[in-house]
């Protein structure tokens, strides 16, 4: 085994020990609520999304209720999440497609999910992983940054990083590893001024400043 690979495996071991049992921060009670929350989370914090969905979901927590709510009212409610017009359009159009083509249910198949407006690989991976327990690695800004910074899987695109992580992480741990990386990115390995002195990976991380 090459030294670089040994370091990657040790990094993953420490992450697992540190963040074992980590779960999504988004609040939801159904697959549709999860889909909406993940669409809203683009360029927005999970904390802010939870504040918005706390208002939205009691009013509209199904595709049918989203359509009854109307796109203008939806825009008004989700405005704090940013890019609210585009997100409202995606959610509204997706609700209609789910009713027309899937009996109002969110499909479990990745290829079907990415056909929905506003649903890319990251969103589809989160939904299949969290809601349907299918191993997946969703590459958000945290995962992308950490994978490159820690040299776990270097790449210039989210897809390159996703494929790289799939090679080094056992498939049965893909979904869990996604959460380890997210929480480490939030708590320690921040985009600006990472807390290397507080990092359990500081002795082996290639980008450590100590």
């Amino acid at each position: 085994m090459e030294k670089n690979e040994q370091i990657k495996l040790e990094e993953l071991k420490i992450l697992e020990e540190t963040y074992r049992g980590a779960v999504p921060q988004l609040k939801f009670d159904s697959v549709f609520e999860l889909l909406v929350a993940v669409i809203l989370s683009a360029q927005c914090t999970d904390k802010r999304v939870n504040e918005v969905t706390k208002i939205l979901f009691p009013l509209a927590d199904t595709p049918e209720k989203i359509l009854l709510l109307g796109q203008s009212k939806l825009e008004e409610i989700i405005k704090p999440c940013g890019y609210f017009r585009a997100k409202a359009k995606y959610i509204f159009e997706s609700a209609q497609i789910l009713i027309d083509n899937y009996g109002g249910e969110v499909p479990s198949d990745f290829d079907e999910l990415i056909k929905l407006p506003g649903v890319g690989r990251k969103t589809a991976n989160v939904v299949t992983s969290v809601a349907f327990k299918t191993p997946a690695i969703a590459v958000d800004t945290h995962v992308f940054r950490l994978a490159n910074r820690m040299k776990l899987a270097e790449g210039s695109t989210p897809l390159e990083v996703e494929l790289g992580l799939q090679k080094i992480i056992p498939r049965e741990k893909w979904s869990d590893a996604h959460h380890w990386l997210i929480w480490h990115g939030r708590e320690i390995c921040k985009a600006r001024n990472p807390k290397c002195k507080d990092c359990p990976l500081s002795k082996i991380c290639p980008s450590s400043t100590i």
Side-chain angles (χ1 to χ4, degrees), residues 25-207:
Q25 193 174 37
L26 291 173
K27 305 296 184 183
F28 61 93
D29 291 317
S30 70
V31 183
F32 180 70
E33 287 188 0
L34 173 62
L35 174 66
V36 171
V38 179
I39 291 174
L40 292 176
S41 71
Q43 304 298 314
C44 182
T45 65
D46 287 357
K47 181 179 179 181
R48 177 64 58 83
V49 171
N50 288 337
E51 292 171 354
V52 168
T53 56
K54 189 175 182 180
I55 297 170
L56 174 62
F57 289 157
L59 298 174
D61 58 356
T62 66
E64 293 82 3
K65 290 179 181 178
I66 286 289
L67 296 184
L68 288 173
L69 184 67
Q71 190 167 331
S72 295
K73 182 63 176 177
L74 179 58
E75 288 181 1
E76 179 185 329
I77 294 172
I78 70 171
K79 189 173 183 178
C81 288
Y83 302 97
F84 64 96
R85 289 191 177 88
K87 292 178 181 179
K89 183 174 182 287
Y90 294 150
I91 293 168
F92 201 77
E93 291 178 351
S94 291
Q96 186 66 67
I97 291 171
L98 292 176
I99 292 171
D100 292 344
N101 300 340
Y102 302 97
E105 299 295 326
V106 178
S108 60
D109 183 75
F110 179 90
D111 291 331
E112 294 300 310
L113 279 168
I114 59 175
K115 293 178 183 178
L116 297 174
V119 177
R121 290 192 65 86
K122 187 206 81 170
T123 299
N125 276 326
V126 170
V127 173
T128 55
S129 169
V130 175
F132 299 109
K133 309 305 179 186
T134 300
I137 300 176
V139 179
D140 67 356
T141 55
H142 293 299
V143 176
F144 185 81
R145 180 177 73 254
L146 267 64
N148 277 288
R149 186 178 280 173
M150 296 166 59
K151 301 191 185 305
L152 279 172
E154 296 178 271
S156 59
T157 67
L159 179 57
E160 288 178 354
V161 168
E162 180 184 339
L163 296 176
L165 289 173
Q166 288 178 352
K167 291 179 181 178
I168 192 67
I169 301 170
R171 188 173 188 275
E172 67 272 14
K173 293 185 178 182
W174 285 359
S175 298
D176 290 335
H178 159 74
H179 296 304
W180 306 336
L181 289 164
I182 286 178
W183 280 99
H184 191 60
R186 286 182 181 146
E187 301 296 319
I188 303 292
C189 199
K190 299 176 182 291
R192 297 182 180 179
N193 302 317
K195 301 177 182 179
C196 292
K197 290 183 178 179
D198 300 323
C199 181
L201 295 152
S202 60
K203 292 183 179 180
I204 61 172
C205 177
S207 299

